[in-house]
Each structure stands twice: as C-alpha cells, then as structure tokens.
Amino acid sequence: MPGPTTPDSPTADGQEVRVHDGGQEWMITWHAPNSVPDGGRHGSAGICLTPDENIVLVSADGTHWDWPAGRPEDSEDWEATLRREVREEACADVLACRLLGFSRGHCIRGQEEGLVLVRAIWQANIVPRPWEPRFEIRYRRVVPVTDVLSHLTVCEGYLPMYRRALLEAGLC
C-alpha cells in the first residue's frame, strides 16, 4: 500500500486524497485511463501544450488560474467535451490529445454529500487562435511547463492530482 500523499508528491492509482473545498469534504482518487471509474460524468480537463511546449492556463477573473475544463453538453463523449471546452475557454484548437487518466471525487461531507463525480484528464497538443473570449473565461495565460504549478490556483489537497497528471503527461 502506498504511503501518505503530500502536496509535493503525485497520487498513486486508487489512493484516496482528502480535500476540503468550498465547505465540503471530498475523497479524490486517480484512475488509469483504461478503466472509467463509477460516478457521474463531470467532463474533461486538459493540460494544453502549445507548439513551443508551453502550457495554456485560463481564468474567469484574472486571479484564479487552471487548465481549460468543463462539463459535457448533450451526448458529448469525454474527448468531444475536451475539444469544445478548449475551443471555448482557451480559444485554441486541439490537434491531438491523449487521455492521461480519470479523477474521481466522492463528497463525504457537505451540501453534496454522497455525490460521486468523474473527470477525464487529458494532454492536448493545441494551436492557440486569436484571443477572443466569448464565454465565462476572460483571461488566457501561456506559461513554461517548468513554472506551471506556481501559476495554478488550486486547493492544496488537489496538488497531488495535478502532479500525477503532469507526471502522466511526461512533464515533470
């Protein structure tokens, strides 16, 4: 059994990480890309690499930064959700993508107690288009791979998941 996960280490397959977020408590686990864990489809998120191998981050307020991500619309599959969200949020086109794994969150305390959500995590090679935000995301930033964790705005509890995704993408 793997040892405890710290914010400085990536999570192991199936290892539970306790996260306090928005007044709720979640148990988050990483799952390999070959098996979708049970839970509601919560969409896709993408580590978006530019042709010069920088990473695109997006923000609704210019202060909190994350990877482009969102929920599925209608009957979209995981990849279609990724492609649409990257187009809408990052004003970029996905040239190629690779599924890195799944993040599964189970709310164990709070308003959404009992809710189980699954998000597909991707590496996407993209081509940025001119910045013309039309949806909820108002800002885009391109950062070097080596600095990405210092630019992300995530609860400390989620850092092992982000580190795992970067590891799976071969970026750390």
Side-chain angles (χ1 to χ4, degrees):
M1 172 169 260
T5 299
T6 69
D8 294 329
S9 65
T11 188
D13 284 357
Q15 184 177 17
E16 291 186 320
V17 177
R18 187 179 304 266
V19 177
H20 299 275
D21 187 5
Q24 301 192 105
E25 192 170 343
W26 293 82
M27 295 304 286
I28 309 294
T29 53
W30 178 271
H31 297 266
N34 58 352
S35 178
V36 180
D38 66 309
R41 283 187 42 217
H42 195 56
S44 292
I47 300 173
C48 294
L49 291 170
T50 64
D52 55 355
E53 296 193 8
N54 288 308
I55 294 180
V56 172
L57 300 177
V58 295
S59 174
D61 62 9
T63 302
H64 301 90
W65 296 89
D66 205 347
W67 299 327
R71 297 182 181 130
E73 291 182 358
D74 304 318
S75 61
E76 282 181 331
D77 64 17
W78 301 103
E79 185 176 335
T81 301
L82 170 76
R83 289 178 179 276
R84 180 185 48 74
E85 289 293 343
V86 168
R87 188 174 50 256
E88 290 177 0
E89 293 190 353
C91 293
D93 295 317
V94 174
L95 299 176
C97 57
R98 178 171 63 95
L99 181 60
L100 302 173
F102 295 93
S103 172
R104 179 184 185 270
H106 177 206
C107 185
I108 60 171
R109 187 169 299 118
Q111 180 181 351
E112 297 177 303
E113 187 172 335
L115 183 64
V116 178
L117 298 173
V118 176
R119 178 158 280 184
I121 311 297
W122 299 82
Q123 176 183 335
N125 296 333
I126 63 149
V127 173
R129 291 184 280 115
W131 182 240
E132 298 174 355
R134 297 183 336 214
F135 297 93
E136 71 277 10
I137 298 300
R138 306 306 305 161
Y139 303 92
R140 174 176 76 181
R141 173 185 284 174
V142 180
V143 301
V145 168
T146 54
D147 296 340
V148 70
L149 288 174
S150 66
H151 289 275
L152 287 167
T153 312
V154 296
C155 293
E156 183 177 290
Y158 289 116
L159 280 174
M161 300 302 276
Y162 280 75
R163 289 183 186 284
R164 177 62 186 268
L166 290 166
L167 180 68
E168 292 296 326
L171 300 174
C172 72

PDB file of all heavy atoms in Angstrom, residues 1-26:
ATOM      1  N   MET A   1       0.856  -1.179   0.000  1.00  0.00           N
ATOM      2  CA  MET A   1       0.000   0.000   0.000  1.00  0.00           C
ATOM      3  C   MET A   1       0.900   1.240   0.000  1.00  0.00           C
ATOM      4  O   MET A   1       1.842   1.328   0.768  1.00  0.00           O
ATOM      5  CB  MET A   1      -0.905  -0.025   1.229  1.00  0.00           C
ATOM      6  CG  MET A   1      -1.693   1.268   1.407  1.00  0.00           C
ATOM      7  SD  MET A   1      -2.966   1.092   2.670  1.00  0.00           S
ATOM      8  CE  MET A   1      -4.352   0.851   1.594  1.00  0.00           C
ATOM      9  N   PRO A   2       0.600   2.239  -0.881  1.00  0.00           N
ATOM     10  CA  PRO A   2       1.438   3.425  -0.939  1.00  0.00           C
ATOM     11  C   PRO A   2       1.324   4.236   0.342  1.00  0.00           C
ATOM     12  O   PRO A   2       0.333   4.189   1.057  1.00  0.00           O
ATOM     13  CB  PRO A   2       0.881   4.205  -2.135  1.00  0.00           C
ATOM     14  CG  PRO A   2      -0.446   3.623  -2.425  1.00  0.00           C
ATOM     15  CD  PRO A   2      -0.485   2.255  -1.825  1.00  0.00           C
ATOM     16  N   GLY A   3       2.416   4.984   0.624  1.00  0.00           N
ATOM     17  CA  GLY A   3       2.427   5.856   1.798  1.00  0.00           C
ATOM     18  C   GLY A   3       1.504   7.035   1.599  1.00  0.00           C
ATOM     19  O   GLY A   3       0.868   7.190   0.555  1.00  0.00           O
ATOM     20  N   PRO A   4       1.424   7.896   2.605  1.00  0.00           N
ATOM     21  CA  PRO A   4       0.532   9.051   2.506  1.00  0.00           C
ATOM     22  C   PRO A   4       0.966   9.998   1.405  1.00  0.00           C
ATOM     23  O   PRO A   4       2.152  10.158   1.135  1.00  0.00           O
ATOM     24  CB  PRO A   4       0.639   9.703   3.887  1.00  0.00           C
ATOM     25  CG  PRO A   4       1.880   9.162   4.498  1.00  0.00           C
ATOM     26  CD  PRO A   4       2.155   7.839   3.858  1.00  0.00           C
ATOM     27  N   THR A   5      -0.007  10.582   0.754  1.00  0.00           N
ATOM     28  CA  THR A   5       0.264  11.564  -0.285  1.00  0.00           C
ATOM     29  C   THR A   5       0.446  12.923   0.369  1.00  0.00           C
ATOM     30  O   THR A   5      -0.291  13.282   1.274  1.00  0.00           O
ATOM     31  CB  THR A   5      -0.919  11.624  -1.276  1.00  0.00           C
ATOM     32  OG1 THR A   5      -1.054  10.339  -1.878  1.00  0.00           O
ATOM     33  CG2 THR A   5      -0.680  12.647  -2.356  1.00  0.00           C
ATOM     34  N   THR A   6       1.441  13.648  -0.109  1.00  0.00           N
ATOM     35  CA  THR A   6       1.654  15.020   0.352  1.00  0.00           C
ATOM     36  C   THR A   6       1.446  15.939  -0.840  1.00  0.00           C
ATOM     37  O   THR A   6       1.444  15.481  -1.990  1.00  0.00           O
ATOM     38  CB  THR A   6       3.084  15.211   0.896  1.00  0.00           C
ATOM     39  OG1 THR A   6       4.007  15.125  -0.199  1.00  0.00           O
ATOM     40  CG2 THR A   6       3.420  14.182   1.960  1.00  0.00           C
ATOM     41  N   PRO A   7       1.283  17.250  -0.611  1.00  0.00           N
ATOM     42  CA  PRO A   7       1.108  18.174  -1.738  1.00  0.00           C
ATOM     43  C   PRO A   7       2.287  18.150  -2.717  1.00  0.00           C
ATOM     44  O   PRO A   7       2.140  18.504  -3.873  1.00  0.00           O
ATOM     45  CB  PRO A   7       0.981  19.542  -1.067  1.00  0.00           C
ATOM     46  CG  PRO A   7       0.482  19.247   0.304  1.00  0.00           C
ATOM     47  CD  PRO A   7       1.101  17.928   0.674  1.00  0.00           C
ATOM     48  N   ASP A   8       3.466  17.688  -2.232  1.00  0.00           N
ATOM     49  CA  ASP A   8       4.655  17.671  -3.080  1.00  0.00           C
ATOM     50  C   ASP A   8       4.842  16.371  -3.849  1.00  0.00           C
ATOM     51  O   ASP A   8       5.814  16.221  -4.572  1.00  0.00           O
ATOM     52  CB  ASP A   8       5.903  17.934  -2.225  1.00  0.00           C
ATOM     53  CG  ASP A   8       5.902  19.332  -1.642  1.00  0.00           C
ATOM     54  OD1 ASP A   8       5.356  20.247  -2.285  1.00  0.00           O
ATOM     55  OD2 ASP A   8       6.432  19.506  -0.538  1.00  0.00           O
ATOM     56  N   SER A   9       3.927  15.409  -3.677  1.00  0.00           N
ATOM     57  CA  SER A   9       4.066  14.129  -4.368  1.00  0.00           C
ATOM     58  C   SER A   9       2.815  13.837  -5.192  1.00  0.00           C
ATOM     59  O   SER A   9       1.722  14.246  -4.835  1.00  0.00           O
ATOM     60  CB  SER A   9       4.297  13.004  -3.353  1.00  0.00           C
ATOM     61  OG  SER A   9       3.167  12.846  -2.524  1.00  0.00           O
ATOM     62  N   PRO A  10       3.004  13.110  -6.302  1.00  0.00           N
ATOM     63  CA  PRO A  10       1.812  12.720  -7.077  1.00  0.00           C
ATOM     64  C   PRO A  10       1.065  11.599  -6.372  1.00  0.00           C
ATOM     65  O   PRO A  10       1.652  10.801  -5.651  1.00  0.00           O
ATOM     66  CB  PRO A  10       2.403  12.242  -8.406  1.00  0.00           C
ATOM     67  CG  PRO A  10       3.813  11.883  -8.108  1.00  0.00           C
ATOM     68  CD  PRO A  10       4.249  12.694  -6.928  1.00  0.00           C
ATOM     69  N   THR A  11      -0.228  11.544  -6.580  1.00  0.00           N
ATOM     70  CA  THR A  11      -1.032  10.480  -6.007  1.00  0.00           C
ATOM     71  C   THR A  11      -0.814   9.177  -6.779  1.00  0.00           C
ATOM     72  O   THR A  11      -0.470   9.194  -7.955  1.00  0.00           O
ATOM     73  CB  THR A  11      -2.524  10.879  -6.007  1.00  0.00           C
ATOM     74  OG1 THR A  11      -3.256   9.906  -5.285  1.00  0.00           O
ATOM     75  CG2 THR A  11      -3.074  11.017  -7.391  1.00  0.00           C
ATOM     76  N   ALA A  12      -1.021   8.060  -6.118  1.00  0.00           N
ATOM     77  CA  ALA A  12      -0.918   6.742  -6.753  1.00  0.00           C
ATOM     78  C   ALA A  12      -2.303   6.314  -7.250  1.00  0.00           C
ATOM     79  O   ALA A  12      -3.325   6.853  -6.811  1.00  0.00           O
ATOM     80  CB  ALA A  12      -0.377   5.725  -5.748  1.00  0.00           C
ATOM     81  N   ASP A  13      -2.345   5.326  -8.135  1.00  0.00           N
ATOM     82  CA  ASP A  13      -3.621   4.803  -8.624  1.00  0.00           C
ATOM     83  C   ASP A  13      -4.497   4.370  -7.442  1.00  0.00           C
ATOM     84  O   ASP A  13      -4.065   3.604  -6.585  1.00  0.00           O
ATOM     85  CB  ASP A  13      -3.408   3.579  -9.517  1.00  0.00           C
ATOM     86  CG  ASP A  13      -2.916   3.934 -10.897  1.00  0.00           C
ATOM     87  OD1 ASP A  13      -2.795   5.128 -11.206  1.00  0.00           O
ATOM     88  OD2 ASP A  13      -2.649   3.001 -11.676  1.00  0.00           O
ATOM     89  N   GLY A  14      -5.728   4.870  -7.411  1.00  0.00           N
ATOM     90  CA  GLY A  14      -6.699   4.462  -6.412  1.00  0.00           C
ATOM     91  C   GLY A  14      -6.455   4.982  -5.011  1.00  0.00           C
ATOM     92  O   GLY A  14      -7.252   4.718  -4.116  1.00  0.00           O
ATOM     93  N   GLN A  15      -5.379   5.725  -4.791  1.00  0.00           N
ATOM     94  CA  GLN A  15      -5.086   6.251  -3.463  1.00  0.00           C
ATOM     95  C   GLN A  15      -6.007   7.422  -3.153  1.00  0.00           C
ATOM     96  O   GLN A  15      -6.119   8.355  -3.939  1.00  0.00           O
ATOM     97  CB  GLN A  15      -3.633   6.704  -3.398  1.00  0.00           C
ATOM     98  CG  GLN A  15      -3.198   7.174  -2.042  1.00  0.00           C
ATOM     99  CD  GLN A  15      -1.731   7.543  -2.017  1.00  0.00           C
ATOM    100  OE1 GLN A  15      -1.113   7.742  -3.054  1.00  0.00           O
ATOM    101  NE2 GLN A  15      -1.175   7.632  -0.828  1.00  0.00           N
ATOM    102  N   GLU A  16      -6.682   7.365  -2.022  1.00  0.00           N
ATOM    103  CA  GLU A  16      -7.613   8.433  -1.651  1.00  0.00           C
ATOM    104  C   GLU A  16      -6.868   9.623  -1.069  1.00  0.00           C
ATOM    105  O   GLU A  16      -5.959   9.460  -0.246  1.00  0.00           O
ATOM    106  CB  GLU A  16      -8.634   7.926  -0.638  1.00  0.00           C
ATOM    107  CG  GLU A  16      -9.599   6.932  -1.229  1.00  0.00           C
ATOM    108  CD  GLU A  16     -10.694   6.542  -0.261  1.00  0.00           C
ATOM    109  OE1 GLU A  16     -10.414   6.371   0.942  1.00  0.00           O
ATOM    110  OE2 GLU A  16     -11.842   6.423  -0.724  1.00  0.00           O
ATOM    111  N   VAL A  17      -7.274  10.799  -1.528  1.00  0.00           N
ATOM    112  CA  VAL A  17      -6.727  12.051  -1.021  1.00  0.00           C
ATOM    113  C   VAL A  17      -7.915  12.862  -0.506  1.00  0.00           C
ATOM    114  O   VAL A  17      -8.885  13.084  -1.232  1.00  0.00           O
ATOM    115  CB  VAL A  17      -5.987  12.831  -2.138  1.00  0.00           C
ATOM    116  CG1 VAL A  17      -5.493  14.165  -1.618  1.00  0.00           C
ATOM    117  CG2 VAL A  17      -4.850  11.999  -2.715  1.00  0.00           C
ATOM    118  N   ARG A  18      -7.840  13.274   0.745  1.00  0.00           N
ATOM    119  CA  ARG A  18      -8.917  14.065   1.350  1.00  0.00           C
ATOM    120  C   ARG A  18      -8.720  15.530   0.975  1.00  0.00           C
ATOM    121  O   ARG A  18      -7.641  16.080   1.147  1.00  0.00           O
ATOM    122  CB  ARG A  18      -8.907  13.900   2.854  1.00  0.00           C
ATOM    123  CG  ARG A  18     -10.094  14.542   3.554  1.00  0.00           C
ATOM    124  CD  ARG A  18     -10.016  14.312   5.061  1.00  0.00           C
ATOM    125  NE  ARG A  18      -9.931  12.905   5.407  1.00  0.00           N
ATOM    126  CZ  ARG A  18     -10.984  12.141   5.712  1.00  0.00           C
ATOM    127  NH1 ARG A  18     -12.196  12.652   5.738  1.00  0.00           N
ATOM    128  NH2 ARG A  18     -10.832  10.874   6.001  1.00  0.00           N
ATOM    129  N   VAL A  19      -9.800  16.145   0.465  1.00  0.00           N
ATOM    130  CA  VAL A  19      -9.747  17.544   0.046  1.00  0.00           C
ATOM    131  C   VAL A  19     -10.902  18.308   0.685  1.00  0.00           C
ATOM    132  O   VAL A  19     -12.051  17.868   0.622  1.00  0.00           O
ATOM    133  CB  VAL A  19      -9.845  17.664  -1.494  1.00  0.00           C
ATOM    134  CG1 VAL A  19      -9.870  19.113  -1.921  1.00  0.00           C
ATOM    135  CG2 VAL A  19      -8.699  16.920  -2.176  1.00  0.00           C
ATOM    136  N   HIS A  20     -10.590  19.440   1.276  1.00  0.00           N
ATOM    137  CA  HIS A  20     -11.600  20.355   1.802  1.00  0.00           C
ATOM    138  C   HIS A  20     -11.742  21.475   0.781  1.00  0.00           C
ATOM    139  O   HIS A  20     -10.774  22.170   0.484  1.00  0.00           O
ATOM    140  CB  HIS A  20     -11.178  20.916   3.161  1.00  0.00           C
ATOM    141  CG  HIS A  20     -11.003  19.861   4.197  1.00  0.00           C
ATOM    142  ND1 HIS A  20     -12.057  19.379   4.935  1.00  0.00           N
ATOM    143  CD2 HIS A  20      -9.915  19.165   4.591  1.00  0.00           C
ATOM    144  CE1 HIS A  20     -11.619  18.441   5.756  1.00  0.00           C
ATOM    145  NE2 HIS A  20     -10.323  18.288   5.567  1.00  0.00           N
ATOM    146  N   ASP A  21     -12.940  21.635   0.229  1.00  0.00           N
ATOM    147  CA  ASP A  21     -13.146  22.612  -0.841  1.00  0.00           C
ATOM    148  C   ASP A  21     -14.555  23.180  -0.731  1.00  0.00           C
ATOM    149  O   ASP A  21     -15.536  22.444  -0.762  1.00  0.00           O
ATOM    150  CB  ASP A  21     -12.945  21.921  -2.195  1.00  0.00           C
ATOM    151  CG  ASP A  21     -12.964  22.869  -3.367  1.00  0.00           C
ATOM    152  OD1 ASP A  21     -13.046  24.099  -3.167  1.00  0.00           O
ATOM    153  OD2 ASP A  21     -12.893  22.383  -4.515  1.00  0.00           O
ATOM    154  N   GLY A  22     -14.641  24.488  -0.610  1.00  0.00           N
ATOM    155  CA  GLY A  22     -15.942  25.149  -0.592  1.00  0.00           C
ATOM    156  C   GLY A  22     -16.860  24.690   0.529  1.00  0.00           C
ATOM    157  O   GLY A  22     -18.063  24.566   0.320  1.00  0.00           O
ATOM    158  N   GLY A  23     -16.300  24.404   1.691  1.00  0.00           N
ATOM    159  CA  GLY A  23     -17.119  23.971   2.818  1.00  0.00           C
ATOM    160  C   GLY A  23     -17.530  22.514   2.752  1.00  0.00           C
ATOM    161  O   GLY A  23     -18.356  22.062   3.546  1.00  0.00           O
ATOM    162  N   GLN A  24     -16.979  21.777   1.809  1.00  0.00           N
ATOM    163  CA  GLN A  24     -17.293  20.357   1.676  1.00  0.00           C
ATOM    164  C   GLN A  24     -16.009  19.541   1.804  1.00  0.00           C
ATOM    165  O   GLN A  24     -14.912  20.059   1.655  1.00  0.00           O
ATOM    166  CB  GLN A  24     -17.954  20.077   0.321  1.00  0.00           C
ATOM    167  CG  GLN A  24     -19.247  20.865   0.134  1.00  0.00           C
ATOM    168  CD  GLN A  24     -20.019  20.375  -1.057  1.00  0.00           C
ATOM    169  OE1 GLN A  24     -21.007  19.708  -0.881  1.00  0.00           O
ATOM    170  NE2 GLN A  24     -19.585  20.707  -2.255  1.00  0.00           N
ATOM    171  N   GLU A  25     -16.185  18.256   2.062  1.00  0.00           N
ATOM    172  CA  GLU A  25     -15.045  17.352   2.155  1.00  0.00           C
ATOM    173  C   GLU A  25     -15.201  16.266   1.097  1.00  0.00           C
ATOM    174  O   GLU A  25     -16.254  15.649   0.989  1.00  0.00           O
ATOM    175  CB  GLU A  25     -14.987  16.737   3.555  1.00  0.00           C
ATOM    176  CG  GLU A  25     -13.719  16.021   3.843  1.00  0.00           C
ATOM    177  CD  GLU A  25     -13.606  15.644   5.315  1.00  0.00           C
ATOM    178  OE1 GLU A  25     -14.350  16.205   6.147  1.00  0.00           O
ATOM    179  OE2 GLU A  25     -12.779  14.772   5.617  1.00  0.00           O
ATOM    180  N   TRP A  26     -14.148  16.072   0.321  1.00  0.00           N
ATOM    181  CA  TRP A  26     -14.148  15.113  -0.785  1.00  0.00           C
ATOM    182  C   TRP A  26     -13.026  14.110  -0.599  1.00  0.00           C
ATOM    183  O   TRP A  26     -11.967  14.444  -0.089  1.00  0.00           O
ATOM    184  CB  TRP A  26     -13.926  15.836  -2.111  1.00  0.00           C
ATOM    185  CG  TRP A  26     -15.042  16.745  -2.507  1.00  0.00           C
ATOM    186  CD1 TRP A  26     -15.262  18.023  -2.071  1.00  0.00           C
ATOM    187  CD2 TRP A  26     -16.092  16.456  -3.428  1.00  0.00           C
ATOM    188  NE1 TRP A  26     -16.384  18.538  -2.657  1.00  0.00           N
ATOM    189  CE2 TRP A  26     -16.912  17.601  -3.502  1.00  0.00           C
ATOM    190  CE3 TRP A  26     -16.414  15.339  -4.188  1.00  0.00           C
ATOM    191  CZ2 TRP A  26     -18.042  17.659  -4.313  1.00  0.00           C
ATOM    192  CZ3 TRP A  26     -17.530  15.395  -4.999  1.00  0.00           C
ATOM    193  CH2 TRP A  26     -18.332  16.543  -5.058  1.00  0.00           C
TER     194      TRP A  26
END
